[in-house]
Amino acid sequence: MHMHHQECVAMLLAGGQGSRLGALTKNIAKPAVAFGGKHRIIDFSLSNCTNSNINTVGVLTQYKPLFLNSYIGTGAAWDLDDTHGGVSVLPPFATESGGQWYRGTADAIYRNIEYIDSYNPLYVLIISGDHLYKMDYSLMLDYHKKTKADLTISVIEVPWDEASRFGILTADENGKISKFSEKPKNPDSNLASMGIYIFDWHILRSALIKDSEDPNSDHDFGKNVIPMLLSEGKDLYAYTFTGYWKDVGTIDSYYHTNMELLDPDSGFNIFEDEMRVFSNSNIYPPHYIGQSAAIDNALVCNGSRILGHVKHSILSFGVFIDEDAYVEDSILLPGATLLKGARVYRSIIGENSIISPGAVLGEPDSEEITVIGDNQTVENPGKKVEADKGGESRE
């Protein structure tokens, strides 16, 4: 055992392109998308690690890793700049046989076996970077040890009528898993996998090597690795999580989860002291609210200047709302600008985008959410603007 031994190493799957978030992920990976004004989606998973005393985190990314790299930096913002651990961004690297994208979730971990081996851990925690939740992984690790599990999967009870949208685990009264079904038509359980796993490292290591040699495998945890371990008779246990958890993978869920921050009864609180959510947001001047401004039920971040009207909206840092501009039921990402007389309803405005004087975007009380990507300029005074629409029907 060498000096940098860590009991548990976390591997954060920061995913690919996140195409269901459309225009928001044209320039940056999904976990880097701004959320709740001052945060980015990945802040939640990184903060959970800090709050669970897990100080070694490998972040696996392959889509636009540059921004994520500079955003995470040394990890100091999340207290993860530990000299013996810390946070490392692990993009796919070239091998003798040439470079290759990660083929699946299991393949991504497989290709970083050396990184994990260098810490010689007993356990490996696998998490994803596009869920919003607060969780103390150390409680799950205690459960994993107590049950002497080979693999523990965190599950959440979902409504029975939604169970066929998830990977469903069937477990006995002790939590021992007997079956895993990916999106079953007739579910026999409502315990949905959250894609949060704790493995004994020696079990995971040999499973990854075995899976990598199977030409028919998709190299995916849910599709391949978990069924393989079940068929080998390994001990898999379900750990039930009861806190707040949201997948923000679609425009719809992203929009509604953001908006829940404005609802005191939603159960989602970024203001509480315990399980704090840390963020690497830059130091901006305070926000300024002009004398003609009117603000009603909004989150307003540093560096924003508001001269117009804001209603039930989230304004990230560095946003500018000019005189006589009006924004309602919308999310403005960092640096978004509304010029004189612009009207914005039920929209998500990407980073540093500009809504020109008099332009109208979206419509009040519409089912649809209008999305403008980063660095766009929206012209068209008075006419309805065609933009990327996110609606209930688009998964």
Side-chain angles (χ1 to χ4, degrees):
M1 190 157 116
H2 52 71
M3 56 186 285
H4 296 341
H5 170 76
Q6 296 280 5
E7 182 187 40
C8 183
V9 168
M11 298 296 273
L12 193 159
L13 294 161
Q17 197 166 341
S19 57
R20 294 181 305 164
L21 283 181
L24 300 182
T25 50
K26 281 207 175 75
N27 303 314
I28 54 178
K30 180 158 72 167
V33 171
F35 180 86
K38 75 183 288 276
H39 294 296
R40 293 189 182 273
I41 293 172
I42 198 169
D43 287 345
F44 291 81
S45 296
L46 289 174
S47 299
N48 284 338
C49 289
T50 299
N51 291 327
S52 308
N53 294 319
I54 290 173
N55 58 9
T56 303
V57 186
V59 177
L60 288 83
T61 178
Q62 58 189 1
Y63 176 74
K64 310 263 183 195
L66 278 173
F67 178 82
L68 213 50
N69 250 323
S70 63
Y71 180 69
I72 290 173
T74 62
W78 301 271
D79 232 2
L80 291 169
D81 50 345
D82 177 298
T83 46
H84 302 311
V87 59
S88 313
V89 177
L90 305 168
F93 46 85
T95 57
E96 289 75 59
S97 55
Q100 199 184 13
W101 289 113
Y102 292 140
R103 293 172 298 180
T105 50
D107 183 56
I109 308 286
Y110 167 72
R111 296 209 208 177
N112 287 285
I113 282 180
E114 279 180 24
Y115 168 81
I116 300 172
D117 275 344
S118 72
Y119 293 102
N120 191 22
L122 292 168
Y123 309 104
V124 172
L125 163 72
I126 295 172
I127 52 184
S128 101
D130 51 12
H131 292 135
L132 291 187
Y133 63 108
K134 292 186 180 183
M135 180 173 180
D136 185 344
Y137 304 127
S138 66
L139 301 175
M140 181 176 169
L141 184 56
D142 291 344
Y143 176 86
H144 178 81
K145 294 175 184 170
K146 194 180 85 215
T147 55
K148 298 189 167 54
D150 295 316
L151 161 60
T152 300
I153 301 175
S154 186
V155 296
I156 193 157
E157 285 190 22
V158 294
W160 278 93
D161 58 347
E162 285 182 32
S164 52
R165 290 178 34 218
F166 296 91
I168 293 292
L169 295 161
T170 310
D172 67 16
E173 66 280 3
N174 302 318
K176 191 162 197 267
I177 297 167
S178 57
K179 188 169 121 195
F180 177 80
S181 336
E182 189 63 68
K183 303 190 174 164
K185 288 222 170 10
N186 303 304
D188 57 3
S189 153
N190 67 335
L191 296 179
S193 166
M194 295 167 67
I196 298 169
Y197 312 118
I198 291 180
F199 284 89
D200 279 12
W201 173 226
H202 71 98
I203 299 274
L204 173 58
R205 199 177 186 284
S206 52
L208 291 174
I209 291 167
K210 188 171 164 187
D211 173 73
S212 75
E213 291 161 354
D214 176 358
N216 300 316
S217 173
D218 290 323
H219 310 295
D220 182 81
F221 280 107
K223 279 193 208 134
N224 311 108
V225 176
I226 294 168
M228 176 172 89
L229 292 173
L230 273 173
S231 69
E232 291 172 357
K234 296 281 192 288
D235 291 331
L236 277 61
Y237 278 84
Y239 172 78
T240 306
F241 173 72
T242 53
Y244 182 96
W245 182 74
K246 281 277 166 54
D247 176 345
V248 284
T250 63
I251 287 290
D252 233 59
S253 60
Y254 174 82
Y255 176 85
H256 291 295
T257 308
N258 257 290
M259 287 311 193
E260 282 190 353
L261 293 170
L262 298 172
D263 172 5
D265 305 321
S266 73
F268 189 27
N269 180 2
I270 51 173
F271 299 102
E272 65 192 0
D273 283 340
E274 69 233 52
M275 294 298 280
R276 282 241 347 250
V277 182
F278 303 97
S279 174
N280 187 9
S281 61
N282 298 325
I283 310 301
Y284 281 84
H287 58 253
Y288 169 75
I289 293 168
Q291 55 191 28
S292 59
I295 299 185
D296 170 20
N297 193 12
L299 279 183
V300 180
C301 290
N302 289 354
S304 290
R305 290 176 302 139
I306 301 169
L307 309 174
H309 289 211
V310 177
K311 186 176 178 187
H312 191 249
S313 293
I314 291 176
L315 275 51
S316 306
F317 41 83
V319 162
F320 177 59
I321 310 281
D322 208 344
E323 291 172 5
D324 193 38
Y326 182 82
V327 56
E328 184 179 323
D329 297 330
S330 294
I331 301 165
L332 274 54
L333 299 189
T337 294
L338 265 60
L339 294 173
K340 279 200 171 125
R343 298 270 180 277
V344 170
Y345 306 95
R346 265 186 92 77
S347 296
I348 301 170
I349 311 291
E351 302 197 23
N352 303 313
S353 282
I354 297 169
I355 310 302
S356 301
V360 179
L361 196 60
E363 40 198 310
D365 313 317
S366 152
E367 276 298 287
E368 291 187 324
I369 297 154
T370 303
V371 182
I372 300 294
D374 297 345
N375 308 306
Q376 305 293 311
T377 300
V378 174
E379 302 281 355
N380 253 16
K383 283 213 269 321
K384 201 167 155 306
V385 177
E386 277 314 303
D388 183 17
K389 291 280 196 261
E392 293 295 338
S393 60
R394 262 187 32 195
E395 253 307 300

